[in-house]
C-alpha cells in the first residue's frame, strides 16, 4: 500500500493502516525528521491510546495502554549492538502479541520476528509525506 498525505490527514492514513490488518510488529524506515515518531503517535491514537506519547530515544521503549491491549514504541537509534536489546528483554515485547512499533530496526536485524511489516516514510514537497506499507 502507498499513500501521500500531509499532517492534517495523518490520522485518517493511520486508520487505513490499522484497518488493513498489518502484522503487530511494524518497522519504521525513513530519514531523521521524516515523521516516523509523528506517525507512530497517530497510530497509537487510532488504537485508543489516550495518554501523551513521545519518542523513547533515551529509554529505548515506551509502553502505552490501548483499547485492546498494549502498544510498545521502540527507538533503537542509541543501541550499540543487539546484545543491548536482548539485555532489556526485547524478545518478550516482540512476541507478546501486542503492537510493537520500532524505529531504527536496522540496529537489531537478527531479532526481528519473521511476521512483521515495514512502513517507509519519505519527505515530499510542500510538507507532504509518502508512506509505503510492505
Amino acid at each position: 500500500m502507498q499513500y501521500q498525505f500531509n499532517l492534517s490527514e495523518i490520522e485518517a492514513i493511520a486508520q487505513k493502516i490499522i484497518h488493513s490488518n498489518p502484522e503487530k510488529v511494524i518497522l519504521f524506515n525513513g530519514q531523521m525528521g521524516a515523521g516516523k515518531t509523528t506517525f507512530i503517535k497517530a497510530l497509537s491514537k487510532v488504537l485508543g491510546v489516550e495518554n501523551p506519547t513521545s519518542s523513547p530515544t533515551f529509554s529505548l521503549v515506551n509502553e502505552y495502554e490501548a483499547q485492546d491491549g498494549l502498544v510498545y514504541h521502540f527507538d533503537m537509534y542509541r543501541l550499540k549492538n543487539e546484545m543491548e536489546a536482548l539485555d532489556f528483554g526485547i524478545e518478550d515485547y516482540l512476541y507478546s502479541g501486542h503492537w510493537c512499533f520500532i524505529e531504527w530496526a536496522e540496529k537489531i536485524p537478527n531479532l526481528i520476528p519473521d511476521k512483521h511489516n515495514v512502513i517507509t516514510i519519505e519527505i515530499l514537497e510542500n510538507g507532504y509525506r509518502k508512506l509505503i506499507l510492505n
Side-chain angles (χ1 to χ4, degrees):
M1 280 189 259
Q2 182 172 313
Y3 301 97
Q4 289 188 17
F5 63 95
N6 63 24
L7 197 54
S8 69
E9 302 165 316
I10 195 168
E11 195 170 318
I13 299 302
Q15 283 185 326
K16 287 180 181 183
I17 295 295
I18 294 299
H19 287 51
S20 71
N21 295 312
E23 297 295 334
K24 287 199 168 184
V25 175
I26 302 178
L27 316 182
F28 288 79
N29 293 330
Q31 67 185 49
M32 190 85 69
K36 299 180 297 291
T37 299
T38 302
F39 197 74
I40 290 170
K41 288 179 182 184
L43 288 170
S44 298
K45 184 175 180 182
V46 167
L47 291 168
V49 173
E50 294 179 2
N51 293 331
T53 58
S54 62
S55 176
T57 302
F58 295 100
S59 61
L60 298 177
V61 61
N62 287 344
E63 178 181 314
Y64 304 105
E65 287 190 36
Q67 280 180 325
D68 295 323
L70 299 172
V71 172
Y72 298 117
H73 178 188
F74 298 88
D75 186 331
M76 302 288 111
Y77 184 75
R78 297 196 181 279
L79 278 186
K80 292 181 180 87
N81 54 53
E82 289 181 329
M83 188 55 82
E84 285 185 332
L86 290 170
D87 286 346
F88 79 76
I90 193 166
E91 291 177 310
D92 292 336
Y93 294 102
L94 296 178
Y95 295 95
S96 68
H98 297 293
W99 289 98
C100 294
F101 301 139
I102 308 171
E103 297 183 62
W104 305 102
E106 59 270 22
K107 298 268 192 156
I108 56 166
N110 298 308
L111 304 179
I112 302 299
D114 290 337
K115 289 186 176 186
H116 69 273
N117 283 113
V118 177
I119 288 179
T120 302
I121 301 176
E122 297 176 23
I123 300 172
L124 303 176
E125 294 181 17
N126 300 323
Y128 276 79
R129 300 294 192 265
K130 178 167 84 172
L131 182 147
I132 301 168
L133 172 67
N134 291 320

